[in-house]
Amino acid sequence: MAQIAFSNLRKSYGKTEVIHGVDTHINDGELIVIVGPSGCGKSTLLRMVAGLETVTSGEIRIDGRVVNDLEPRERDIAMVFQNYALYPHMSVFDNMAYGLKIAKVPQAEIRERVAVAAKMLELEPFLERKPRQLSGGQRQRVAMGRAIVRKPAVFLFDEPLSNLDAKLRVQMRVEIKTLQRRLGVTSLYVTHDQVEAMTLADRIIVMNGGVAEQIGTPLAVYEKPATTFVGGFIGSPPMNFLSVERLQGSGLAASFGEAAPTLAKTVGVRPEHLSFCGEGQAAWSGELVIVEALGAETLAHVRLDDGEVIIVRLDGGRTAPVGESRVHVTCEADKLHFFGTDEKRID
Amino acid sequence: MSGMVEKRGIGTWLTHLSLIAGIAAICFPIYVAFVASTVTQPEIARPPMPLLPGSHFLENYGTALSQGINSPVWLMLMNSSIMALGIAIGKIAISILSAYAIVYFRFPFRMVFFWLIFLTLMLPVEVRIVPTYEVAAGFGMLNSYSGLILPLIASATATFLFRQFFLTVPDELIEAARVDGAGPIRFFIDILLPMSRTNIAALFVILFIYGWNQYLWPLLITTKPEMNTIVMGIKQMFPSGDDVAEWPVIMATALMAMLPPVAVVVFMQGLFVKGLVDTEK
Ligand SMILES: Nc1ncnc2c1ncn2[C@@H]1O[C@H](COP(=O)(O)OP(=O)(O)OP(=O)(O)O)[C@@H](O)[C@H]1O
Ligand SMILES: [Mg+2]
């Protein structure tokens, strides 16, 4: 159990800075998901916490103790790697026990702790096997078991599910969440999958280009994205972005009054907040390009008059007005998000 | 269908026939040597040479083992074994450690050292034999096991092989070990060494045979008969001048000299096949 604090954390490789100052405080027992596109510095941030990467400037504190210069083993952390990093020549038992053996934990206690973890992860039948004799999901569990037996203050996960198939990923996601709740260990979890982020996190850190663009609960991030990047990254299908001028020319502007902030440049609206309507109430008009019926939901792609394509999300049962060459789209005024010229949210 | 089976039948026959012919071509001289080691000297000297084993097997081998010609064969076999084992184990130990240092540690002039080691590939024993002899003699290593072993023990080839293998070990594994609390020495002993065991086995066979077959160096560094190795010993069994060669004893010695390398190959083969079948990474 531990709190973690970053203060103005930076990382450079040579002259290129890849983490541009991250500040945050993580509470005891929280599961924080770091999400962002490839190359944004998620792994680098996590590896700095692990002690596998040096800190260029700023501080990392675990339970108040500055750990910048400590070896990984002195930080009381455990890490689950993307490719599991199991020792190929050791049995499942030995893989889990290795860290404890090094820490000179007595034999009996090692056996006990491994047994408990194996039970929790349903690995008991495999303890004598080598990693190559296990399926991907089982290897994943061994990697988690290796982290659990150490009873660390912090769990670090670097895209632990990215090598599993879609179905198993959903299942393991639930297991990780349940396990983390049960053990109550502060966790940092890196992923580029926003669904994983939304479902797992107590709080999300959305990173982009080495900057933490927003830190907040999944719903807060979803409902009040701090930047256009966050709006576009979190949510599937992504938020639609249009220029404010288009809105002011539309029927929506009338009902919306002059509420649009003067500095706003872009307006964002979630696909599920859009709906089809008659020509009279239309905020936007255009032609229907494609309708994707996904079962639970239907996505209608509409090309607006200026060529911009927006996505309208309808409930699965409803069909889009197919065949109509021209469709009209509207939305409730309070569902609009405004962003300024600096891409930041304006409330 | 039946045509295909027939054809395949002929193909199999041909394959086997050519394999058998090849094996026979290799084995025949060995067989002749074996026959020669079981008969008496006059029988060999009188043409035609016998092609069936004679009745002096025990006698000839016994003579060779206990007396030999210059020194008893058991002693030379032992010397050769010690030298070959020393060279193989020493080469592996030194090269795996230097590869570990070069791959995993950042020290000044790391690449310089790597290239220096690499350059020694161009300097086999035969090229540097005079200065090496000078140094060995200076250290008083003439007529000693250390003299037989140490000058041959550095190996650029093995270092290079281990380096290439270490480079394929995923970084994540090293990081996992670090998080688990393993320092450099533990990581080497607990993880790297067991993972390298098929490479070590393969190298051991090659290096053991390399060591066993050394001829020129032992010839130079040993002068006392009790330090002779088997390969140079066989050569020295040939009589100088007009003396009669004891062919049955020489042949028995030659056959016995083959046995340890064969044993090493057979014994290590299991490990090879295992290594080829399950790639563990
Ligand atoms: N050893 C290194 N030397 C130089 N640059 C590096 C090094 N490691 C990472 N980088 C750079 O740092 C940036 C962040 O890398 P990082 O691995 O943290 O990305 P990531 O967010 O984890 O991406 P992904 O989702 O693809 O894993 C990248 O632009 C990368 O090119
Ligand atoms: Mg990464």
Side-chain angles (χ1 to χ4, degrees), chain B residues 85-217:
Chain B
L85 278 176
I87 289 176
I89 293 170
K91 267 182 190 278
I92 288 173
I94 285 193
S95 53
I96 201 167
L97 285 172
S98 31
Y100 183 54
I102 285 170
V103 173
Y104 291 103
F105 294 87
R106 243 172 254 128
F107 51 89
F109 307 116
R110 174 160 145 265
M111 271 335 219
V112 174
F113 281 112
F114 175 68
W115 286 112
L116 277 179
I117 292 174
F118 203 64
L119 273 179
T120 62
L121 269 180
M122 283 180 243
L123 297 171
V125 185
E126 288 74 13
V127 177
R128 57 182 163 90
I129 201 154
V130 175
T132 309
Y133 179 85
E134 183 73 28
V135 173
F139 278 112
M141 294 199 293
L142 302 181
N143 285 313
S144 72
Y145 289 125
S146 47
L148 281 170
I149 295 168
L150 290 184
L152 301 180
I153 215 169
S155 174
T157 327
T159 308
F160 193 67
L161 279 174
F162 280 122
R163 172 182 179 265
Q164 296 311 98
F165 172 69
F166 290 167
L167 289 178
T168 67
V169 172
D171 286 347
E172 268 193 1
L173 213 56
I174 300 149
E175 290 171 354
R178 271 184 77 191
V179 171
D180 265 341
I185 294 178
R186 288 210 76 131
F187 173 70
F188 180 72
I189 293 173
D190 290 348
I191 292 160
L192 218 46
L193 217 50
M195 281 180 74
S196 316
R197 66 182 188 280
T198 38
N199 289 38
I200 293 177
L203 266 176
F204 180 82
V205 172
I206 295 169
L207 296 178
F208 182 88
I209 292 172
Y210 165 86
W212 188 267
N213 286 344
Q214 281 304 315
Y215 174 67
L216 199 54
W217 182 250

Side-chain angles (χ1 to χ4, degrees), chain A residues 47 83 87 89 98 132, chain B residues 172-173 175 179-180 190 280:
Chain A
R47 292 160 54 80
N83 298 308
Y87 309 121
H89 57 287
Y98 187 58
R132 78 186 124 84
Chain B
E172 268 193 1
L173 213 56
E175 290 171 354
V179 171
D180 265 341
D190 290 348
E280 293 184 8

Side-chain angles (χ1 to χ4, degrees), chain A residues 36 67 71 81 130 145 181 191 216 221 263 301 332:
Chain A
V67 296
E71 274 289 301
F81 294 86
K130 296 280 170 65
R181 281 268 166 289
T191 179
V221 170
L263 289 173
H301 297 237
E332 284 166 39

